[in-house]
Structures are given as structure tokens and as C-alpha cells.
Amino acid sequence: MSQRAQAVICREINQPVVVEEIEVEAPQRGEVMIKLSACGVCHSDFSVTNGTIPFPPPVVLGHEGAGVVVALGEGVTELAPGDHVVSSFVSMCGKCRYCQTGRPQLCDQASKAAYTLPDGTVRTRDREGRPLNVFSGCGVMAEFATLHTDNVVKIAPDIPLDRAALVSCGVMTGVGAVVNTARVTPGSIAVVFGVGGVGLNAIQGCVIAGAAMIVAVDTNEAKLEMARTFGATHVLNAKTEENLAKSLRKLTAGGADYAFECVGSGEVVAQAYAALRKGGVAVVVGVASQKDSTTIRTASLTFEEKTLTGSYFGSARPREDFPRLLALYRGKRLKLDELITRRYRIDEAPQAFADLAAGRNARGIIVF
Ligand SMILES: NC(=O)c1ccc[n+]([C@@H]2O[C@H](COP(=O)([O-])OP(=O)(O)OC[C@H]3O[C@@H](n4cnc5c(N)ncnc54)[C@H](O)[C@@H]3O)[C@@H](O)[C@H]2O)c1
Ligand SMILES: [Zn+2]
Ligand SMILES: [Zn+2]
């Protein structure tokens, strides 16, 4: 049966999000309907609303959701009504060369269907019956959503769903960039540029990996304070620092082993790369606009054996990594409670987006 639901939608680029009642269709073969409990507001949702991520509107936003399965489509055997689940904004077909080689974050099926379900169609319609796109197979900033099981990960029922939601983007992306992509080693020096919802988790990842020095760089003083509570050993304000590159070089005694760009700007990518010592690794986590580019000194790649790489979804294997992250939370070695600065009702979604843009939250989360 289809279901009416309030949903947060980007109707027009550069306009505030709107909350509308939509129709969520019953799950088809291989799909499930989820009743959402919570959905985090990620900068990538905001990036859809300003055109940085070019998904054609109207789009139901949300890719950091958690809830309970309420209906099964034909052929679904691995999930049952009542199961606690989180969304995965990459679908994992299990068959393409990336899935087959342990890199489901690069699944071909996910890159082909960026703003629909994996089969290229949607289960979401507005009141006039017109189809609504969804954020990366998800569209979980809504009371109900129908997702393919390739975009759903079952989790243990003891974890509060608002905390579990965060794992499905911000936490996985930040921690994963450190432990999966860069594989930070104990005792190393790391710098994290941009300590919002994702960057704070890169800081936590560095703590888990045993980095000796963890430097947070941001333009927002309040974020730098948060970074300290998440484990940053040093902080630098990029706005007030007279010569950021020089200060970083001095602080790190010659350069960092690892640098993480969690902003989404070519300029900051260049800063991250420049902050490395010989043999260092810079990881681009932020999502820049398609028009953005960066410049690095080519010879430094050769003579200094530096690496510049990207990290999508923390190079996650979600079915393996989500339970691991939740186990760290249970063991009090991963902070999730502290990530939630503010909870919003769905009708307060425009405020949640405004607060994200103004840098007021570690993470804002919509609870249903
Ligand atoms: N790679 C992925 O799979 C993935 C997943 C989720 C989000 N993202 C991207 O990661 C980025 C961060 O997302 P978020 O949700 O943490 O956003 P956020 O808005 O919570 O945090 C961004 C932080 O960057 C800081 N910042 C802005 N300009 C800066 C500068 N010049 N130097 C240093 N800091 C600066 C802001 O003050 C803020 O604290 C976005 O681009 C988002 O789209 C990528
Ligand atoms: Zn996200
Ligand atoms: Zn695949």
C-alpha cells in the first residue's frame, strides 16, 4: 500500500527547502518501505539546493536516515517488518567489478542512478501525481521512503535510531576517510580542514587510528572548540591566521603525514596538499562544484612522493563498517550523542538548513 508522508524537498535551486505531503508508493520487487525515525542534515543536501551537486529538482532530500522496515516488496528475504535499518547513499549491487573487488562505494549501479532508485525510476510523487527525484537512491528526509534493499543496511535494535542515522553518512565518511582510505598509522601527524559534521568525524577517526597530533583547521571558532572535544590536539583558525601554510609547517615540524579536506573547495585542497611532508597523503572528502579545480606543483608528486586522492563515503563497505562503527559507539570509543547539536521537527527543516549554512551545528537532525 502506498503511504502519505511529509517530506523535505528541493523544488528550486537557490530557494529554501519546502515541506510537502507526498505519496510514497508501495515497494516493488527487491524494495522495502521504511518508516523513518530520524535523518541528519548533511552539507551534501544543502549542496543540492544551491546546485553544487547537480540533481535536477524537484528532489526529496536526505541520505542520512534511520528507521524501521514496514513493508516488503516481492522477493525480499533478508529483511523483515520491524527491522531497524539505516540508508546507504550508495547502492551495492554486489555484481559489478567494484562490488566484486570489495569497493562497493564505487558501485556502477550507484553512479548510473544518482537521483532515482537503482532502476532509474522513483516511488515518490507529489500531490499532483508528478514524480519526485530522490537523493542518491534514498530521499529519506521524509516520514516514509521506499528504497531498494541495495541501499539499506540492517542494524542492531539497541542503538537509538537518531544516533544510528549519523553513521550512514557523516560518521562513515569522516572516520572511513581516515581508517579505510588513508589508513592512518599510530603516532602520525594529521590535519583536518573543515570540522563540520564530516570533519569532526575525521578527527574521531584519527583518534581511533592513534594519530599523535591532530590539527583542526576551520574558519569558524565554535567549530574549532567542538574539534577539541572530539580529540583535536591543536586548532588553527584559517580566517585569522596570518600565514596558514607557515603556521602549519611550524606546528607539524615540517608537514603532516595526512591531510583531510572536508570542505569542498579546490583552494582548500591545495592547502591540504601543501600541508604535507614528503611521502604524505592528502585525502579530498569535500564535494566541490563541477566547475571547481585545484592546482598542485606537479614535480612534488615525483620528488616528494606525495599522494593526492579522494574518499567517497569513507571508502565504506557499509554492511561491514556500519556495525563496526556502532560497536565502537557501544564501547564508548566513538562519539555520536555529542554530534547532535539540535533536533528539529520536519516543519522546521528550512531552519535546519539555514543553521547548517550558518555553521551553527555539528550536526542538525530531523526527527519524525
Ligand atoms: N566524500 C563523501 O562521500 C562525502 C559525504 C558527505 C559529505 N561530503 C562533503 O563533505 C563536505 C563537508 O560536509 P559537512 O556535512 O561536514 O559540512 P559542514 O557544513 O557541517 O562543515 C563544513 C565545515 O567547513 C568549514 N569551512 C568552510 N570554509 C572553510 C575554509 N576555507 N577552511 C577551513 N574550513 C572551512 C565550515 O566552517 C564548516 O565547519 C561537503 O562538501 C559535503 O558535501 C562528502
Ligand atoms: Zn552526507
Ligand atoms: Zn556494484
Side-chain angles (χ1 to χ4, degrees):
M1 244 192 13
S2 71
Q3 183 74 49
R4 294 248 167 112
Q6 296 288 316
V8 181
I9 297 173
C10 165
R11 274 270 171 207
E12 238 181 293
I13 301 301
N14 291 326
Q15 292 299 318
V17 297
V18 293
V19 180
E20 282 180 26
E21 189 179 82
I22 66 165
E23 188 87 10
V24 179
E25 292 171 359
Q28 298 187 5
R29 186 169 190 83
E31 300 171 354
V32 292
M33 187 185 280
I34 300 166
K35 182 178 193 309
L36 276 305
S37 292
C39 181
V41 183
C42 174
H43 204 105
S44 299
D45 294 302
F46 180 69
S47 291
V48 171
T49 73
N50 65 18
T52 301
I53 295 180
F55 292 168
V59 190
V60 180
L61 296 168
H63 60 282
E64 197 178 79
V68 177
V69 173
V70 290
L72 306 180
E74 217 181 298
V76 176
T77 52
E78 68 272 40
L79 290 168
D83 281 351
H84 286 204
V85 292
V86 294
S87 57
S88 164
F89 67 83
V90 296
S91 59
M92 302 161 277
C93 78
K95 299 185 191 86
C96 72
R97 68 181 296 182
Y98 299 101
C99 285
Q100 286 286 309
T101 52
R103 303 175 85 187
Q105 79 277 18
L106 301 178
C107 176
D108 277 335
Q109 173 177 275
S111 18
K112 272 186 215 131
Y115 44 85
T116 60
L117 298 196
D119 70 356
T121 68
V122 290
R123 306 288 163 266
T124 34
R125 299 195 171 270
D126 67 12
R127 266 171 301 206
E128 277 72 49
R130 290 174 302 211
L132 298 159
N133 288 325
V134 290
F135 190 120
S136 296
C138 294
V140 286
M141 210 173 277
E143 292 167 319
F144 289 88
T146 290
L147 271 63
H148 194 279
T149 53
D150 290 353
N151 287 84
V152 175
V153 177
K154 183 174 166 175
I155 57 160
D158 64 309
I159 307 281
L161 285 164
D162 55 353
R163 266 48 64 85
L166 304 179
V167 165
S168 68
C169 179
V171 179
M172 185 68 252
T173 299
V175 176
V178 174
V179 304
N180 290 342
T181 313
R183 295 176 188 271
V184 166
T185 49
S188 46
I189 301 171
V191 183
V192 179
F193 291 80
V195 286
V198 172
L200 288 171
N201 285 297
I203 301 263
Q204 306 212 65
C206 289
V207 174
I208 291 166
M213 177 185 263
I214 307 168
V215 186
V217 180
D218 205 292
T219 47
N220 177 333
E221 204 54 46
K223 292 293 175 70
L224 292 172
E225 279 315 305
M226 292 179 196
R228 281 192 197 277
T229 68
F230 277 81
T233 58
H234 300 77
V235 303
L236 284 177
N237 190 326
K239 215 192 236 160
T240 55
E241 206 58 45
E242 211 167 285
N243 186 333
L244 180 65
K246 202 167 157 198
S247 304
L248 276 171
R249 223 166 15 251
K250 191 163 166 222
L251 191 59
T252 57
D257 299 302
Y258 301 96
F260 298 90
E261 196 278 356
C262 305
V263 178
S265 141
E267 194 188 330
V268 183
V269 170
Q271 288 171 1
Y273 185 79
L276 297 177
R277 64 175 60 216
K278 285 186 280 185
V281 180
V283 182
V284 182
V285 182
V287 178
S289 103
Q290 297 291 329
K291 294 183 209 117
D292 194 46
S293 61
T294 195
T295 308
I296 57 166
R297 204 158 40 80
T298 315
S300 66
L301 287 163
T302 325
F303 293 129
E304 298 173 24
E305 287 201 357
K306 288 189 181 184
T307 301
L308 178 63
T309 186
S311 177
Y312 189 47
F313 205 5
S315 306
R317 298 142 305 166
R319 296 193 200 287
E320 176 70 18
D321 287 344
F322 289 2
R324 283 181 187 231
L325 291 171
L326 294 172
L328 284 167
Y329 170 68
R330 256 187 226 107
K332 304 205 183 316
R333 292 168 69 190
L334 181 78
K335 296 186 204 307
L336 297 182
D337 306 341
E338 297 83 346
L339 274 174
I340 303 178
T341 311
R342 186 167 163 192
R343 291 175 171 78
Y344 301 84
R345 293 189 314 268
I346 191 165
D347 58 292
E348 296 173 313
Q351 186 61 47
F353 277 75
D355 289 347
L356 176 116
R360 292 194 190 99
N361 297 336
R363 239 341 173 226
I365 190 160
I366 296 178
V367 288
F368 305 105

